[in-house]
């Protein structure tokens, strides 16, 4: 046998052994433990996600890995149970196993603790094992400040932030408000490469998953650990906040955050329960841009958070069939006039949306639209960021949108109270700071 072939076979054997002993955290039964007993079986329905099912049956949305573990253990004995390889990908009709609360806790402990090691499964379904709790975090890539905003809901954030790429919105201004030491952090240039990140010696770089090929893979080739998150939908928020809680060693805070969001989503859902199609106004969300001196209007994809928020808030999004999957789709006024929706919401990420709305109201063409005639052309609310996008503020955007789309149903939502609760409970700001730093930036309320 040649030396090269011998080395190859040795490498292959080691790889197989590693795959065998380092599975996704909750796929295998804990050592020495028999297959768990299902106190209930559940069939996946449309609009289900595992954290929602976990909250219903186990009383904790972050206990969903126990559902995965129990279901996969049952699958070994009974193929009618699903085999879940990615907790974000479940299908209607799948049969899953709900263990008892005691067995669920045992499964969670066995999957989350490996001596002093920290194990996480990221947004791409990859398992990463850290020998100890990561201490140095770097944020880079597009939309990194949206990820940093979520990270800063944890009290450990300031001490663990080793560097951050400057964003093209005003997120850095906000983080300076909540972190007095933020100005002393290391700031990386926009579109930073791995060569600039490596000298910071990060334990982990947090990236949006769409940055995997452009930045994530080059970083990993340098031996730098990358954890991917999405933070694009309510379901992904459940998973990704849980990931941050694991990485920071603070799952209790992750539960607090997710419970805060879930309570407010549930409040809106309950307020809109029972609406008929006729009771839901036709709604159009438009992103306004005048970069380069050329005005353009864009609509989001059907799967994006803006569409989900519109539906949750009791409206019918009219743009979904015209929207492309990959990103914002440009639409002309002829298309807007053809839709002629009951309500129009204008988003402006880089300037004042209220000024844009006032300008549109003076345009004779726009004055022919139903929404303008009925005084239902709105600037989408914003402060440091627009509340429509998948920043942490989307929960404020959902509540605000509900009061506009279905004002009678959402009469119980006090937006000033919602604002104060958000900044107090999520970021620890006191009322005086909210009044001084946030209130002057509010647009569209």
């Amino acid at each position: 046998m040649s030396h090269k072939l011998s080395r190859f076979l040795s490498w292959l054997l080691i790889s197989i052994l590693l795959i065998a002993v380092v599975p996704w955290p909750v796929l295998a039964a804990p050592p020495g433990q028999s297959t768990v007993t299902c106190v209930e079986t559940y069939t996946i329905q449309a609009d289900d996600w595992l954290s929602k099912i976990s909250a219903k049956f186990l009383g904790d949305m972050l206990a969903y890995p126990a559902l995965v573990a129990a279901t996969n253990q049952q699958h070994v004995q009974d193929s009618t149970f699903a085999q879940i390889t990615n907790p974000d990908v479940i299908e209607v009709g799948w049969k899953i196993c709900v263990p008892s609360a005691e067995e669920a806790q045992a499964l969670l402990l066995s999957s989350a603790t490996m001596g002093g090691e920290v194990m996480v499964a990221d947004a791409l379904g990859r398992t990463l094992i850290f020998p100890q709790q990561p201490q140095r975090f770097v944020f880079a890539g597009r939309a990194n400040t949206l990820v940093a905003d979520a990270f800063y809901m944890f009290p450990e954030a300031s001490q663990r932030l080793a560097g951050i790429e400057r964003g093209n919105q005003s997120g850095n201004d906000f983080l300076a408000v909540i972190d007095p030491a933020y100005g002393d952090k290391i700031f990386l240039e926009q579109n930073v490469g791995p060569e600039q990140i490596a000298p910071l010696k990060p334990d982990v770089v947090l990236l949006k998953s769409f940055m995997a090929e452009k930045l994530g893979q080059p970083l990993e080739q340098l031996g730098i650990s990358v954890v991917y998150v999405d933070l694009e939908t309510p379901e992904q928020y459940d998973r990704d906040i849980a990931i941050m809680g694991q990485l920071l060693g603070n799952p209790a805070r992750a539960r607090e955050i997710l419970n805060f969001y879930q309570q407010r989503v549930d409040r809106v859902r309950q307020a809109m329960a029972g609406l008929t199609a006729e009771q839901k106004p036709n709604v159009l969300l438009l992103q306004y841009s005048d970069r380069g001196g050329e005005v353009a209007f864009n609509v989001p994809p059907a799967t994006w958070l803006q569409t989900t928020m519109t539906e949750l808030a009791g409206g019918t999004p009219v743009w979904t069939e015209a929207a492309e999957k990959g990103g914002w789709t440009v639409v002309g006024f002829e298309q807007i006039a053809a839709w002629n929706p009951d309500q129009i919401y204008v988003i402006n990420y880089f300037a004042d949306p209220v000024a844009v709305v006032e300008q549109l109201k003076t345009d004779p063409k726009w004055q022919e639209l139903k929404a303008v005639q009925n005084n239902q052309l709105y600037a989408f609310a914003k402060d440091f960021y627009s509340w429509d996008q998948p920043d942490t503020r989307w929960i404020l955007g959902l509540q605000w949108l509900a009061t506009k789309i279905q004002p009678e149903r959402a009469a119980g939502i006090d937006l000033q109270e919602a604002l104060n609760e958000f900044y107090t409970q999520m970021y620890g700001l006191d009322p005086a700071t909210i009044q001084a730093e946030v209130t002057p930036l509010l647009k569209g309320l």
Side-chain angles (χ1 to χ4, degrees):
M1 181 182 297
S2 70
H3 179 63
K4 288 184 178 180
L5 180 57
S6 176
R7 282 173 46 190
F8 170 76
L9 291 175
S10 298
W11 173 87
L12 182 61
L13 178 60
I14 292 171
S15 299
I16 292 171
L17 289 172
L18 285 172
I19 292 170
V21 300
V22 188
W24 193 74
V26 295
L27 294 187
Q33 178 175 313
S34 60
T35 303
V36 300
T37 301
C38 304
V39 295
E40 293 193 52
T41 58
Y42 179 79
T43 302
I44 300 295
Q45 308 295 314
D47 299 324
D48 270 340
W49 58 92
L50 288 179
S51 58
K52 175 182 174 182
I53 300 168
S54 178
K56 177 180 179 180
F57 289 105
L58 300 175
D60 183 355
M61 65 177 63
L62 294 186
Y64 69 87
L67 299 178
V68 180
T71 301
N72 286 347
Q73 290 177 29
Q74 290 291 336
H75 175 81
V76 174
Q77 307 295 329
D78 181 353
S79 62
T80 64
F81 283 89
Q83 183 174 28
I84 305 173
T85 57
N86 184 342
D88 284 331
V89 181
I90 58 176
E91 297 184 9
V92 172
W94 277 8
K95 178 181 173 183
I96 67 171
C97 173
V98 180
S100 67
E102 293 76 14
E103 287 190 303
Q105 186 63 27
L107 289 167
L108 291 172
L109 287 172
S110 67
S111 65
T113 58
M114 301 172 55
E117 295 176 336
V118 177
M119 180 190 296
V120 297
D122 70 5
L124 295 183
R126 309 173 316 145
T127 297
L128 293 97
I129 300 174
F130 297 89
Q132 57 191 9
Q133 207 78 54
Q135 298 297 314
R136 295 179 58 79
F137 289 76
V138 169
F139 295 85
R142 285 172 49 203
N144 74 87
T145 47
L146 304 186
V147 182
D149 280 356
F151 187 75
Y152 259 90
M153 291 192 290
F154 291 85
E156 300 87 356
S158 179
Q159 295 180 346
R160 305 283 182 89
L161 178 61
I164 184 169
E165 178 180 335
R166 294 188 183 276
N168 57 6
Q169 293 190 51
S170 56
N172 292 342
D173 298 333
F174 168 63
L175 296 181
V177 169
I178 59 177
D179 180 5
Y182 189 74
D184 298 327
K185 305 299 182 185
I186 296 175
F187 294 94
L188 303 166
E189 62 185 19
Q190 285 191 23
N191 301 314
V192 66
E195 296 80 8
Q196 290 78 44
I197 294 174
L200 300 184
K201 298 181 179 179
D203 295 322
V204 59
V205 178
L206 277 171
L207 296 179
K208 286 272 196 171
S209 61
F210 60 73
M211 294 299 300
E213 183 175 350
K214 182 177 180 180
L215 183 56
Q217 292 175 10
L219 283 168
E220 291 177 324
Q221 289 171 1
L222 295 178
I224 298 172
S225 295
V226 178
V227 171
Y228 296 105
V229 294
D230 290 318
L231 295 168
E232 294 287 346
T233 68
E235 297 81 11
Q236 291 172 355
Y237 255 79
D238 288 349
R239 178 201 63 207
D240 295 341
I241 294 298
I243 288 172
M244 292 183 183
Q246 287 176 287
L247 289 170
L248 290 167
N250 197 348
R253 176 56 177 164
R255 287 184 174 86
E256 290 177 1
I257 294 168
L258 294 179
N259 285 334
F260 179 93
Y261 277 75
Q262 191 63 53
Q263 289 168 7
R264 284 147 185 81
V265 171
D266 288 345
R267 188 180 304 166
V268 172
R269 285 185 189 275
Q270 292 164 8
M272 304 306 157
L275 281 172
T276 65
E278 292 73 21
Q279 292 174 309
K280 297 179 180 180
N282 289 329
V283 174
L284 175 62
L285 263 65
L286 293 171
Q287 185 213 146
Y288 171 90
S289 172
D290 60 357
R291 286 189 165 185
E294 185 174 341
V295 172
F297 293 96
N298 305 268
V299 294
T303 57
W304 277 17
L305 183 62
Q306 291 87 348
T307 308
T308 301
M309 289 168 60
T310 301
E311 294 170 338
L312 285 172
T316 299
V318 299
W319 68 86
T320 54
E321 291 186 3
E324 298 176 1
K325 293 183 178 180
W328 293 95
T329 302
V330 177
V331 294
F333 181 79
E334 293 76 11
Q335 177 63 78
I336 295 171
W339 284 322
N340 197 18
D342 301 303
Q343 300 178 348
I344 300 176
Y345 296 85
V346 177
I347 300 159
N348 191 342
Y349 291 140
F350 305 102
D352 183 357
V354 175
V356 174
V357 165
E358 293 306 313
Q359 179 184 348
L360 293 175
K361 286 180 178 179
T362 66
D363 188 320
K365 294 189 301 181
W366 283 74
Q367 290 173 353
E368 296 297 318
L369 298 176
K370 186 190 309 181
V372 178
Q373 293 175 355
N374 294 334
N375 198 31
Q376 295 199 52
L377 173 63
Y378 301 105
F380 209 104
K382 69 181 296 185
D383 49 41
F384 291 90
Y385 280 137
S386 177
W387 290 0
D388 75 288
Q389 60 187 327
D391 174 69
T392 55
R393 294 160 181 77
W394 72 263
I395 196 63
L396 291 174
L398 173 62
Q399 295 171 90
W400 174 84
L401 197 56
T403 66
K404 297 296 185 184
I405 296 178
Q406 297 286 349
E408 292 183 4
R409 295 245 178 173
I413 297 176
D414 183 325
L415 289 174
Q416 187 61 55
E417 181 181 343
L419 181 81
N420 291 336
E421 288 177 345
F422 174 78
Y423 281 107
T424 300
Q425 296 183 40
M426 295 297 96
Y427 291 107
L429 296 185
D430 58 62
T433 302
I434 296 171
Q435 183 66 29
E437 301 289 350
V438 180
T439 301
L441 299 177
L442 289 171
K443 303 289 183 182
L445 250 62

